Amino acid sequence: MADLDPVEQIKELSSTLASVESVLDLDAKRTEIEQLREQSADPELWNDQDNAQKVTRRLSFLESEINKVEGIRQRLDDLGVLFELAAAEDDADTLAEAENELESLRKDVGELEVRTLLSGPYDEREALVSINAQAGGVDAADWAQMLQRMYLRWAERRGYPTEVYETSYAEEAGIKSTTFTVKAPFAYGTLRGEHGTHRLVRISPFDNQSRRQTSFAGVDVVPVVEQSDHIDIDEGELRIDVYRSSGPGGQGVNTTDSAVRITHLPSGIVVSCQNERSQLQNRATAMSVLQAKLLERKRQEEKAELAELRGDSVSSWGTQMRNYVLQPYQSVKDVRTGAETGNTGAVLDGEIDEFIDAEIRWMRSRERDGD
């Protein structure tokens, strides 16, 4: 596409954007926006805080989507005029500005195109993300905390609200585990490719001999459950423990035993919540997390059974999905897609869209191939 003249490139982008607009069905979104605006104007809505927040988040998301697409369409229209102006006046500065805008639009249209690939049954859901330190001792705990910050920064950059349900701090540094939600439509579909083992190679800041250390952390991404989901949980199969919340260094962040840990005995799944002051609230949140994890477990079992009936091999993307190397060179590379960058600082600060887009395209191609 870069070999085409600017006019042809703009036409190509305009055609791609038209396809995106068709798939996103902007007219249906505008109709839904009007309905949501009516709901949000009803004072009775706020009698149910959870539903009210869901309505306002959905409204904000749809308005943002419409504004984004319309903004890109307007920029494409303006860009043609800018190239004409640069040619008419033989203005090198204007031409450089137009070329920069063309490159920016190519990226923005590409990101929108990726969004149209999110068509899975749960892709529209919010995401529940869990991170656990694995092999590597204190370095792994520190790595788990670095990953938590990376995802929270990614969400912050996009304006997505997050809520940390539980963080279990390690004795020396870092965290043993954490669970948080990304409260935005399509957060699950966007982040589900992040599921897997993340590997870090660096000079350990905790080694007095400054040796290179490899450490691992596991990332688990599941869709948040909704009322339409049917997950039966037998209370007799649960072990519920209450304990005192703690912060870094073992400091108590809550002076009462309000944190809740639930163990689902048949599956061995353990979930915790400590962010609320009330034990009842923490228990309710922990149950929601458990439901989400059991829903994903059920979905994976059904997928495996269907593959067996078809005679297919069960899809396995492998556990290790990305390598982050800080020493002796700087590189972040996705094992499955091959996406790679040397800007490790930006990635660890939440600039991971390049990897996420590559994952979505890769997963969609695998699903189309029936793997």
Side-chain angles (χ1 to χ4, degrees):
M1 186 169 174
D3 295 334
L4 300 175
D5 67 65
V7 173
E8 289 302 315
Q9 291 186 57
I10 293 171
K11 284 182 179 178
E12 289 278 355
L13 286 175
S14 182
S15 176
T16 301
L17 183 59
S19 298
V20 169
E21 290 168 335
S22 176
V23 172
L24 293 179
D25 196 350
L26 300 187
D27 287 340
K29 282 181 168 53
R30 292 187 183 98
T31 300
E32 187 179 354
I33 284 173
E34 290 305 314
Q35 294 170 346
L36 291 170
R37 282 174 177 167
E38 290 180 9
Q39 290 182 45
S40 62
D42 183 358
E44 297 294 322
L45 175 69
W46 292 96
N47 292 334
D48 183 346
Q49 290 285 331
D50 289 341
N51 184 50
Q53 290 175 6
K54 185 176 180 180
V55 167
T56 54
R57 281 199 301 268
R58 178 68 178 171
L59 176 59
S60 176
F61 169 76
L62 289 174
E63 289 176 335
S64 175
E65 287 287 284
I66 292 289
N67 291 337
K68 185 185 301 180
V69 176
E70 290 179 344
I72 290 176
R73 173 59 69 189
Q74 184 61 55
R75 287 167 60 197
L76 274 173
D77 293 342
D78 293 344
L79 184 57
V81 176
L82 194 62
F83 271 110
E84 290 175 4
L85 183 63
E89 299 185 0
D90 195 21
D91 188 334
D93 290 340
T94 302
L95 179 60
E97 179 187 349
E99 289 174 342
N100 289 336
E101 174 68 349
L102 178 59
E103 184 60 34
S104 176
L105 277 166
R106 187 179 294 117
K107 178 184 176 183
D108 291 344
V109 171
E111 289 178 355
L112 273 180
E113 189 178 17
V114 168
R115 264 292 318 281
T116 65
L117 301 178
L118 301 180
S119 57
Y122 299 100
D123 282 354
E124 287 196 22
R125 302 277 186 96
E126 297 175 355
L128 181 69
V129 182
S130 298
I131 302 172
N132 293 278
Q134 296 180 341
V138 64
D139 277 279
D142 188 52
W143 175 222
Q145 189 165 39
M146 291 167 66
L147 283 175
Q148 180 194 39
R149 179 185 181 278
M150 182 181 80
Y151 290 118
L152 293 178
R153 285 284 291 138
W154 172 82
E156 181 184 344
R157 287 174 181 277
R158 285 175 160 253
Y160 294 167
T162 57
E163 183 176 1
V164 179
Y165 288 154
E166 177 269 341
T167 300
S168 175
Y169 290 91
E171 288 77 9
E172 186 173 342
I175 60 176
K176 297 176 183 176
S177 64
T178 185
T179 299
F180 57 91
T181 51
V182 180
K183 297 184 174 183
F186 289 97
Y188 171 69
T190 303
L191 287 173
R192 69 186 180 106
E194 293 294 298
H195 180 97
T197 299
H198 295 241
R199 171 177 173 262
L200 174 69
V201 179
R202 64 172 176 176
I203 300 297
S204 172
F206 306 102
D207 188 321
N208 55 19
Q209 297 182 43
S210 298
R211 289 173 294 192
R212 196 167 63 191
Q213 173 75 27
T214 300
S215 50
F216 301 85
V219 176
D220 184 46
V221 184
V222 299
V224 170
V225 294
E226 294 183 352
Q227 290 183 354
S228 58
D229 297 320
H230 299 289
I231 298 295
D232 294 323
I233 300 177
D234 186 347
E235 292 277 344
E237 296 179 338
L238 302 179
R239 185 176 72 239
I240 302 176
D241 303 303
V242 295
Y243 60 99
R244 186 162 298 179
S245 305
S246 63
Q251 294 179 339
V253 295
N254 194 333
T255 57
T256 62
D257 293 334
S258 63
V260 174
R261 180 185 299 110
I262 300 177
T263 304
H264 184 247
L265 299 175
S267 66
I269 294 174
V270 180
V271 299
S272 305
C273 184
Q274 63 182 34
N275 68 317
E276 305 287 354
R277 287 284 176 180
S278 160
Q279 186 183 124
L280 287 175
Q281 289 176 309
N282 279 327
R283 187 181 189 281
T285 300
M287 283 296 290
S288 294
V289 174
L290 177 60
Q291 286 178 319
K293 289 183 177 289
L294 288 174
L295 176 66
E296 179 66 10
R297 181 187 178 94
K298 177 183 177 183
R299 192 169 70 90
Q300 291 299 331
E301 288 174 350
E302 290 173 347
K303 183 178 179 181
E305 288 174 6
L306 183 60
E308 188 175 350
L309 288 171
R310 288 199 313 239
D312 301 336
S313 60
V314 177
S315 173
S316 174
W317 298 344
T319 56
Q320 188 169 312
M321 55 82 60
R322 189 175 301 143
N323 293 318
Y324 305 71
V325 180
L326 306 186
Q327 290 287 345
Y329 55 90
Q330 300 233 329
S331 171
V332 179
K333 183 174 182 178
D334 196 289
V335 175
R336 300 169 307 194
T337 68
E340 184 174 11
T341 180
N343 194 350
T344 58
V347 169
L348 294 175
D349 195 40
E351 294 184 18
I352 56 175
D353 287 319
E354 174 186 351
F355 292 97
I356 288 173
D357 288 355
E359 288 160 5
I360 292 171
R361 293 183 187 276
W362 180 82
M363 287 188 297
R364 185 60 186 268
S365 68
R366 299 270 291 194
E367 289 161 357
R368 276 200 301 262
D369 294 340
D371 191 355

